[in-house]
Amino acid sequence: MRGRRSLAALAAFSVLSIGLAACSSVGADSDSTATTGSGDTSDSTEQITLTVATFNEFGYEGLYQEYMDAHPNIKIEAKKAATSNEAQQNLKTALGAGSGAADIEAIEVDWLPELMQYPDQFTDLTSDAVEGRWLDWKTASATTTDGKLIGYGTDIGPEGVCYRSDLFEQAGLPTDREEVAALLEGDWDTYFSVGKQFTDATGIPWYDASVATFQGMVNQLANPLENSDGTPIPLADNTDIKDIYNTVLTQSVDNNLSAGLEQWSDDWVAAFQNDGFATMLCPGWMLGVIEGNAAGVTGWDIADVFPGGGGNWGGSFLTVPAQGKNIDAAVELAQWLTAPEQQIKAFEAKGTFPSQVEALSSETLLSQTNEFFNNAPTGQILANRADAVELQPYKGPNYFAIYNILADALNRVDVSGTDDASSSWDKALSDFDALGIG
C-alpha cells in the first residue's frame, strides 16, 4: 500500500459501489472483450490521443516518448496522481459516472480486489500474446474466477532495508551493506533491538512511520484481514493483527523508534532532507521515491535483508477501462509498456522491479547498480529479496477498507497523538463495525 484514505472516503465508496454495480449490469451487454491488440495501430495513420493514469513513480516517462516516436499517430498524455489513494478515488469516481477514466488506468494490488467485483467495467486483456509473461501469482491476482484478465502486471515489491550509512556511522554501527545485512539478519525483534541501540546513541528515529512497519509485518501473514473465502475476520477476534498493532506502537512510541510521520505527507517528504530517520522498509519502487525526495543527500544504501525473512509490498497493474474510446490502441500500448524489455527500462529509471518471468533472469536486470544508493547492486539484491518471499497474503474485496481503519488507528497514536494505543484500538473496532461487513 502506498497511502491511506479517510473514513469519509470509505463511506463515499459504499454509495459508489451501488453505482458501480448498476453500471456493471449495463456494461455486461456491451462488447468489451475484443482486446488482443487486433486493432494494431502500428501501421495506422489515424491520429489518436491515449491517456495513461498512474501514481507515484512507474518509470514510464522515457517510454512514452519512445512509443510516440515509433507510432507517430499516437499522442500519450500522462496523468500522474501523487498517491495511490488519489488514483483510486479518481478511478472510482470515473467508473461510477460512466466517463472520465483514462484509456489506461494503473491499479495497485491492494485495491485491485475491490474493483475485481466489477469486471465488466474493464476490458478483458486475455491474449495469446501475453500468455506466460508474468509470475503465476501475479497473473492470478488479476484474473476473475471465469478467466477474465483485468490487468497487465507491472512491478512487484520485494523488500530490503534502505538505510543512511552516514547516520549508522554516527551511532557506531557498521556502514558496509553486507555488514548491515548481517547485523539485521533475524526476526523483527532484531530489527527493533538494533533500532533502539541506534536511537539511544543518536536521538534520531530508526524508521519513518509506524504504518510502514505495520505494513511489512502484516504482509508476512497468510490471511491478515480476511479468510480465503473472502469473508472478513472480525477485528475484535483478530489476535495476530492486535499483536502486531501493539508491538509496532510499543516500539514506535514507547521506544521512540518512529519519526511519527504519515507516509506521503509533506512532513514525511521534508524528513528526507533533514536526517529525519535512518532506515526504511524498501521495495524496489521505493528507490525512486527516496532518490527524488532525498536529492542532494548522500549516504543512502540498501541492505540485502528483511526482518522475518522476506516480504512483498505493493506492485501494480495496467488496466483498460471498458468506457474508453480507443480500446484496441490502449491495449496495444499497455502490452508494450508491460513487456519485459520495457519493464527493465522502468526499473533502470525508477527501481520498479519487474513481475515478468523473462525479465527476472535478464543479465541487464541482475547487473543493474544504482549510483544514488552508493552503487548498490540493486538488481541482484532485489532478485534475492524476491526469492526470499515465501507467501502472498490473501487480500480480498474488503482488505483495503479494513487496512485503512488500522492505518488511521496507528496514526492517531504515532502521528497526531490524539489517542493512546488502547483508545485508538477501541475506535478501530467501532469503525470496523460501521463498515457493516462482518
Side-chain angles (χ1 to χ4, degrees), residues 155-204:
D155 61 321
I156 54 177
E159 295 183 270
V161 175
C162 290
Y163 68 100
R164 285 278 300 273
S165 61
D166 54 329
L167 300 183
F168 271 46
E169 185 174 12
Q170 286 185 33
L173 296 175
T175 59
D176 176 79
R177 70 178 67 94
E178 293 185 1
E179 293 179 352
V180 171
L183 177 72
L184 297 178
E185 183 67 39
D187 57 15
W188 287 95
D189 287 343
T190 301
Y191 178 68
F192 294 135
S193 176
V194 175
K196 189 170 190 312
Q197 179 184 347
F198 170 87
T199 298
D200 287 348
T202 64
I204 298 172

Short mmCIF file of all heavy atoms in Angstrom, two decimals, residues 155-204:
data_model
loop_
_atom_site.label_atom_id
_atom_site.label_comp_id
_atom_site.label_asym_id
_atom_site.label_seq_id
_atom_site.Cartn_x
_atom_site.Cartn_y
_atom_site.Cartn_z
N ASP A 155 4.96 -4.14 -11.85
CA ASP A 155 6.06 -4.47 -10.96
C ASP A 155 5.59 -5.30 -9.78
O ASP A 155 4.39 -5.50 -9.57
CB ASP A 155 6.71 -3.19 -10.44
CG ASP A 155 5.72 -2.33 -9.64
OD1 ASP A 155 4.54 -2.25 -10.04
OD2 ASP A 155 6.13 -1.75 -8.62
N ILE A 156 6.54 -5.81 -9.04
CA ILE A 156 6.29 -6.40 -7.73
C ILE A 156 7.16 -5.65 -6.72
O ILE A 156 8.00 -4.84 -7.12
CB ILE A 156 6.59 -7.91 -7.70
CG1 ILE A 156 8.02 -8.20 -8.19
CG2 ILE A 156 5.57 -8.67 -8.54
CD1 ILE A 156 8.41 -9.67 -8.12
N GLY A 157 6.96 -5.93 -5.44
CA GLY A 157 7.66 -5.14 -4.42
C GLY A 157 8.46 -5.93 -3.41
O GLY A 157 8.25 -5.76 -2.20
N PRO A 158 9.41 -6.79 -3.86
CA PRO A 158 10.26 -7.47 -2.88
C PRO A 158 11.05 -6.45 -2.08
O PRO A 158 11.59 -5.49 -2.64
CB PRO A 158 11.17 -8.35 -3.74
CG PRO A 158 11.20 -7.69 -5.08
CD PRO A 158 9.83 -7.09 -5.25
N GLU A 159 11.13 -6.65 -0.77
CA GLU A 159 11.65 -5.61 0.11
C GLU A 159 13.01 -5.93 0.71
O GLU A 159 13.26 -7.03 1.18
CB GLU A 159 10.69 -5.38 1.28
CG GLU A 159 9.35 -4.84 0.87
CD GLU A 159 8.47 -4.57 2.06
OE1 GLU A 159 7.73 -5.49 2.48
OE2 GLU A 159 8.51 -3.45 2.58
N GLY A 160 13.88 -4.93 0.71
CA GLY A 160 15.10 -4.93 1.50
C GLY A 160 14.98 -3.85 2.56
O GLY A 160 13.89 -3.38 2.87
N VAL A 161 16.11 -3.47 3.14
CA VAL A 161 16.12 -2.38 4.10
C VAL A 161 17.03 -1.28 3.57
O VAL A 161 18.24 -1.49 3.39
CB VAL A 161 16.63 -2.84 5.48
CG1 VAL A 161 16.74 -1.65 6.43
CG2 VAL A 161 15.69 -3.89 6.08
N CYS A 162 16.45 -0.11 3.27
CA CYS A 162 17.24 1.04 2.88
C CYS A 162 17.70 1.76 4.15
O CYS A 162 16.96 1.83 5.14
CB CYS A 162 16.42 1.99 2.00
SG CYS A 162 16.07 1.32 0.35
N TYR A 163 18.91 2.29 4.10
CA TYR A 163 19.45 2.89 5.32
C TYR A 163 20.41 4.02 4.98
O TYR A 163 20.96 4.08 3.88
CB TYR A 163 20.15 1.84 6.18
CG TYR A 163 21.42 1.29 5.58
CD1 TYR A 163 22.67 1.74 5.98
CD2 TYR A 163 21.37 0.30 4.59
CE1 TYR A 163 23.83 1.24 5.43
CE2 TYR A 163 22.52 -0.21 4.03
CZ TYR A 163 23.76 0.26 4.45
OH TYR A 163 24.92 -0.23 3.88
N ARG A 164 20.62 4.90 5.96
CA ARG A 164 21.58 6.00 5.83
C ARG A 164 22.89 5.57 6.46
O ARG A 164 23.02 5.51 7.69
CB ARG A 164 21.03 7.25 6.52
CG ARG A 164 19.93 7.98 5.79
CD ARG A 164 20.50 8.91 4.72
NE ARG A 164 21.40 9.91 5.33
CZ ARG A 164 20.97 11.07 5.84
NH1 ARG A 164 19.70 11.42 5.77
NH2 ARG A 164 21.84 11.92 6.38
N SER A 165 23.89 5.27 5.63
CA SER A 165 25.16 4.79 6.16
C SER A 165 25.86 5.85 7.00
O SER A 165 26.56 5.52 7.97
CB SER A 165 26.07 4.35 5.00
OG SER A 165 26.34 5.43 4.14
N ASP A 166 25.69 7.15 6.65
CA ASP A 166 26.34 8.19 7.44
C ASP A 166 25.75 8.29 8.84
O ASP A 166 26.49 8.53 9.82
CB ASP A 166 26.24 9.54 6.72
CG ASP A 166 24.80 9.91 6.36
OD1 ASP A 166 23.98 9.00 6.11
OD2 ASP A 166 24.49 11.12 6.33
N LEU A 167 24.44 8.06 8.96
CA LEU A 167 23.84 8.08 10.30
C LEU A 167 24.21 6.82 11.08
O LEU A 167 24.37 6.87 12.31
CB LEU A 167 22.31 8.20 10.18
CG LEU A 167 21.79 9.46 9.47
CD1 LEU A 167 20.26 9.50 9.50
CD2 LEU A 167 22.37 10.72 10.11
N PHE A 168 24.34 5.69 10.40
CA PHE A 168 24.82 4.47 11.06
C PHE A 168 26.22 4.71 11.64
O PHE A 168 26.53 4.25 12.74
CB PHE A 168 24.86 3.30 10.07
CG PHE A 168 23.57 2.51 9.98
CD1 PHE A 168 22.34 3.14 9.87
CD2 PHE A 168 23.59 1.12 10.00
CE1 PHE A 168 21.16 2.42 9.78
CE2 PHE A 168 22.42 0.39 9.92
CZ PHE A 168 21.20 1.04 9.81
N GLU A 169 27.05 5.42 10.90
CA GLU A 169 28.42 5.70 11.37
C GLU A 169 28.37 6.54 12.65
O GLU A 169 29.15 6.31 13.58
CB GLU A 169 29.21 6.43 10.29
CG GLU A 169 30.68 6.65 10.64
CD GLU A 169 31.47 7.24 9.48
OE1 GLU A 169 30.83 7.70 8.50
OE2 GLU A 169 32.71 7.25 9.55
N GLN A 170 27.43 7.51 12.71
CA GLN A 170 27.30 8.33 13.93
C GLN A 170 26.99 7.47 15.14
O GLN A 170 27.41 7.78 16.26
CB GLN A 170 26.16 9.35 13.76
CG GLN A 170 26.47 10.53 12.86
CD GLN A 170 25.33 11.54 12.86
OE1 GLN A 170 24.65 11.72 13.88
NE2 GLN A 170 25.12 12.18 11.73
N ALA A 171 26.23 6.39 14.91
CA ALA A 171 25.82 5.53 16.03
C ALA A 171 26.86 4.45 16.33
O ALA A 171 26.66 3.65 17.26
CB ALA A 171 24.49 4.88 15.70
N GLY A 172 27.95 4.42 15.57
CA GLY A 172 28.96 3.39 15.78
C GLY A 172 28.56 2.03 15.23
O GLY A 172 29.12 1.00 15.62
N LEU A 173 27.59 2.03 14.30
CA LEU A 173 27.15 0.78 13.68
C LEU A 173 27.90 0.57 12.37
O LEU A 173 28.45 1.51 11.80
CB LEU A 173 25.64 0.85 13.40
CG LEU A 173 24.71 0.96 14.60
CD1 LEU A 173 23.26 1.12 14.13
CD2 LEU A 173 24.84 -0.27 15.50
N PRO A 174 27.93 -0.67 11.88
CA PRO A 174 28.56 -0.92 10.58
C PRO A 174 27.87 -0.09 9.50
O PRO A 174 26.68 0.23 9.59
CB PRO A 174 28.31 -2.43 10.36
CG PRO A 174 28.03 -2.99 11.70
CD PRO A 174 27.38 -1.90 12.49
N THR A 175 28.62 0.23 8.46
CA THR A 175 28.06 1.00 7.36
C THR A 175 28.06 0.23 6.04
O THR A 175 27.24 0.53 5.17
CB THR A 175 28.86 2.30 7.15
OG1 THR A 175 30.22 1.98 6.86
CG2 THR A 175 28.79 3.17 8.39
N ASP A 176 28.96 -0.73 5.90
CA ASP A 176 29.01 -1.55 4.69
C ASP A 176 27.72 -2.34 4.55
O ASP A 176 27.23 -2.93 5.52
CB ASP A 176 30.21 -2.50 4.76
CG ASP A 176 30.27 -3.44 3.59
OD1 ASP A 176 30.72 -3.03 2.52
OD2 ASP A 176 29.80 -4.60 3.76
N ARG A 177 27.18 -2.41 3.32
CA ARG A 177 25.85 -3.02 3.15
C ARG A 177 25.83 -4.51 3.53
O ARG A 177 24.82 -4.99 4.04
CB ARG A 177 25.32 -2.80 1.74
CG ARG A 177 26.01 -3.55 0.64
CD ARG A 177 25.34 -3.25 -0.71
NE ARG A 177 25.52 -1.86 -1.11
CZ ARG A 177 26.51 -1.46 -1.91
NH1 ARG A 177 27.37 -2.33 -2.39
NH2 ARG A 177 26.64 -0.19 -2.23
N GLU A 178 26.93 -5.21 3.30
CA GLU A 178 26.94 -6.63 3.68
C GLU A 178 27.00 -6.77 5.20
O GLU A 178 26.37 -7.67 5.78
CB GLU A 178 28.12 -7.34 3.01
CG GLU A 178 27.98 -7.43 1.49
CD GLU A 178 29.10 -8.23 0.85
OE1 GLU A 178 29.97 -8.74 1.60
OE2 GLU A 178 29.12 -8.35 -0.39
N GLU A 179 27.74 -5.90 5.86
CA GLU A 179 27.80 -5.94 7.32
C GLU A 179 26.46 -5.52 7.93
O GLU A 179 26.04 -6.06 8.96
CB GLU A 179 28.92 -5.04 7.83
CG GLU A 179 30.31 -5.53 7.44
CD GLU A 179 31.41 -4.60 7.93
OE1 GLU A 179 31.08 -3.50 8.43
OE2 GLU A 179 32.58 -4.96 7.81
N VAL A 180 25.79 -4.56 7.31
CA VAL A 180 24.46 -4.15 7.80
C VAL A 180 23.46 -5.29 7.64
O VAL A 180 22.63 -5.55 8.52
CB VAL A 180 23.98 -2.89 7.06
CG1 VAL A 180 22.52 -2.58 7.38
CG2 VAL A 180 24.86 -1.69 7.42
N ALA A 181 23.56 -6.01 6.51
CA ALA A 181 22.66 -7.15 6.31
C ALA A 181 22.89 -8.20 7.40
O ALA A 181 21.92 -8.77 7.94
CB ALA A 181 22.89 -7.76 4.93
N ALA A 182 24.14 -8.44 7.74
CA ALA A 182 24.44 -9.41 8.80
C ALA A 182 23.92 -8.91 10.15
O ALA A 182 23.41 -9.68 10.97
CB ALA A 182 25.94 -9.67 8.86
N LEU A 183 24.06 -7.60 10.39
CA LEU A 183 23.60 -7.00 11.65
C LEU A 183 22.09 -7.16 11.83
O LEU A 183 21.61 -7.42 12.95
CB LEU A 183 23.97 -5.52 11.67
CG LEU A 183 23.52 -4.69 12.87
CD1 LEU A 183 24.33 -5.07 14.11
CD2 LEU A 183 23.66 -3.19 12.58
N LEU A 184 21.35 -7.02 10.73
CA LEU A 184 19.89 -7.03 10.80
C LEU A 184 19.29 -8.40 10.50
O LEU A 184 18.06 -8.56 10.54
CB LEU A 184 19.30 -6.00 9.81
CG LEU A 184 19.67 -4.54 10.09
CD1 LEU A 184 19.08 -3.63 9.02
CD2 LEU A 184 19.19 -4.11 11.47
N GLU A 185 20.13 -9.38 10.19
CA GLU A 185 19.61 -10.71 9.89
C GLU A 185 18.87 -11.27 11.10
O GLU A 185 19.37 -11.24 12.22
CB GLU A 185 20.77 -11.64 9.52
CG GLU A 185 20.33 -13.05 9.12
CD GLU A 185 19.54 -13.06 7.82
OE1 GLU A 185 19.89 -12.30 6.91
OE2 GLU A 185 18.54 -13.82 7.74
N GLY A 186 17.65 -11.75 10.89
CA GLY A 186 16.88 -12.29 12.01
C GLY A 186 15.44 -11.86 11.94
O GLY A 186 14.91 -11.54 10.86
N ASP A 187 14.80 -11.82 13.08
CA ASP A 187 13.37 -11.51 13.13
C ASP A 187 13.14 -10.03 13.40
O ASP A 187 14.08 -9.22 13.44
CB ASP A 187 12.68 -12.39 14.16
CG ASP A 187 13.30 -12.24 15.56
OD1 ASP A 187 14.06 -11.25 15.77
OD2 ASP A 187 13.05 -13.10 16.41
N TRP A 188 11.87 -9.69 13.63
CA TRP A 188 11.55 -8.28 13.89
C TRP A 188 12.14 -7.78 15.20
O TRP A 188 12.50 -6.60 15.32
CB TRP A 188 10.03 -8.08 13.87
CG TRP A 188 9.46 -8.17 12.49
CD1 TRP A 188 8.93 -9.27 11.87
CD2 TRP A 188 9.43 -7.12 11.52
NE1 TRP A 188 8.55 -8.96 10.58
CE2 TRP A 188 8.84 -7.65 10.34
CE3 TRP A 188 9.83 -5.79 11.52
CZ2 TRP A 188 8.66 -6.89 9.18
CZ3 TRP A 188 9.65 -5.02 10.36
CH2 TRP A 188 9.07 -5.57 9.22
N ASP A 189 12.28 -8.68 16.17
CA ASP A 189 12.90 -8.26 17.43
C ASP A 189 14.32 -7.77 17.19
O ASP A 189 14.80 -6.83 17.86
CB ASP A 189 12.90 -9.43 18.43
CG ASP A 189 11.51 -9.72 18.99
OD1 ASP A 189 10.63 -8.84 18.87
OD2 ASP A 189 11.31 -10.83 19.53
N THR A 190 15.04 -8.44 16.26
CA THR A 190 16.40 -8.00 15.93
C THR A 190 16.38 -6.60 15.33
O THR A 190 17.18 -5.73 15.71
CB THR A 190 17.04 -8.98 14.94
OG1 THR A 190 17.08 -10.28 15.52
CG2 THR A 190 18.45 -8.54 14.56
N TYR A 191 15.46 -6.38 14.40
CA TYR A 191 15.36 -5.05 13.76
C TYR A 191 15.07 -3.97 14.80
O TYR A 191 15.69 -2.89 14.80
CB TYR A 191 14.26 -5.11 12.70
CG TYR A 191 13.98 -3.81 11.98
CD1 TYR A 191 14.92 -3.24 11.12
CD2 TYR A 191 12.75 -3.15 12.15
CE1 TYR A 191 14.65 -2.06 10.44
CE2 TYR A 191 12.48 -1.97 11.47
CZ TYR A 191 13.42 -1.43 10.62
OH TYR A 191 13.15 -0.25 9.96
N PHE A 192 14.13 -4.26 15.71
CA PHE A 192 13.79 -3.26 16.73
C PHE A 192 14.93 -3.07 17.73
O PHE A 192 15.19 -1.95 18.19
CB PHE A 192 12.52 -3.69 17.47
CG PHE A 192 11.28 -3.70 16.62
CD1 PHE A 192 10.38 -4.77 16.67
CD2 PHE A 192 10.99 -2.65 15.75
CE1 PHE A 192 9.24 -4.79 15.88
CE2 PHE A 192 9.84 -2.66 14.97
CZ PHE A 192 8.96 -3.73 15.03
N SER A 193 15.63 -4.16 18.08
CA SER A 193 16.72 -4.07 19.05
C SER A 193 17.86 -3.20 18.51
O SER A 193 18.40 -2.35 19.23
CB SER A 193 17.24 -5.48 19.37
OG SER A 193 18.35 -5.42 20.23
N VAL A 194 18.24 -3.43 17.25
CA VAL A 194 19.29 -2.58 16.65
C VAL A 194 18.79 -1.15 16.55
O VAL A 194 19.54 -0.19 16.78
CB VAL A 194 19.69 -3.12 15.26
CG1 VAL A 194 20.69 -2.18 14.58
CG2 VAL A 194 20.27 -4.52 15.37
N GLY A 195 17.52 -0.99 16.27
CA GLY A 195 16.95 0.35 16.19
C GLY A 195 17.04 1.09 17.52
O GLY A 195 17.35 2.29 17.56
N LYS A 196 16.76 0.39 18.59
CA LYS A 196 16.84 1.05 19.91
C LYS A 196 18.28 1.45 20.22
O LYS A 196 18.53 2.54 20.75
CB LYS A 196 16.28 0.14 20.99
CG LYS A 196 16.13 0.84 22.35
CD LYS A 196 15.36 0.01 23.33
CE LYS A 196 15.01 0.83 24.59
NZ LYS A 196 16.14 1.58 25.15
N GLN A 197 19.22 0.57 19.84
CA GLN A 197 20.64 0.90 20.03
C GLN A 197 20.99 2.16 19.24
O GLN A 197 21.68 3.05 19.77
CB GLN A 197 21.50 -0.28 19.56
CG GLN A 197 22.99 -0.08 19.67
CD GLN A 197 23.78 -1.25 19.10
OE1 GLN A 197 23.23 -2.32 18.82
NE2 GLN A 197 25.07 -1.05 18.91
N PHE A 198 20.50 2.24 18.01
CA PHE A 198 20.78 3.40 17.16
C PHE A 198 20.16 4.67 17.75
O PHE A 198 20.83 5.71 17.88
CB PHE A 198 20.24 3.16 15.74
CG PHE A 198 20.28 4.39 14.88
CD1 PHE A 198 21.42 4.70 14.15
CD2 PHE A 198 19.18 5.25 14.81
CE1 PHE A 198 21.47 5.86 13.37
CE2 PHE A 198 19.23 6.40 14.03
CZ PHE A 198 20.37 6.71 13.31
N THR A 199 18.88 4.60 18.10
CA THR A 199 18.18 5.80 18.57
C THR A 199 18.73 6.27 19.92
O THR A 199 18.85 7.48 20.17
CB THR A 199 16.67 5.51 18.66
OG1 THR A 199 16.19 5.21 17.35
CG2 THR A 199 15.90 6.70 19.20
N ASP A 200 19.06 5.33 20.79
CA ASP A 200 19.65 5.72 22.08
C ASP A 200 20.98 6.46 21.88
O ASP A 200 21.34 7.36 22.65
CB ASP A 200 19.87 4.48 22.95
CG ASP A 200 18.57 3.92 23.51
OD1 ASP A 200 17.53 4.61 23.42
OD2 ASP A 200 18.59 2.78 24.02
N ALA A 201 21.72 6.06 20.81
CA ALA A 201 23.04 6.66 20.59
C ALA A 201 22.97 8.01 19.89
O ALA A 201 23.83 8.87 20.10
CB ALA A 201 23.91 5.70 19.76
N THR A 202 21.95 8.21 19.07
CA THR A 202 21.92 9.42 18.21
C THR A 202 20.76 10.36 18.51
O THR A 202 20.81 11.54 18.13
CB THR A 202 21.82 9.01 16.72
OG1 THR A 202 20.56 8.33 16.51
CG2 THR A 202 22.98 8.11 16.32
N GLY A 203 19.69 9.85 19.08
CA GLY A 203 18.47 10.64 19.26
C GLY A 203 17.67 10.77 17.98
O GLY A 203 16.66 11.49 17.93
N ILE A 204 18.08 10.07 16.93
CA ILE A 204 17.40 10.12 15.64
C ILE A 204 16.47 8.90 15.53
O ILE A 204 16.88 7.79 15.87
CB ILE A 204 18.42 10.11 14.48
CG1 ILE A 204 19.30 11.35 14.56
CG2 ILE A 204 17.71 10.04 13.13
CD1 ILE A 204 20.47 11.34 13.57
#
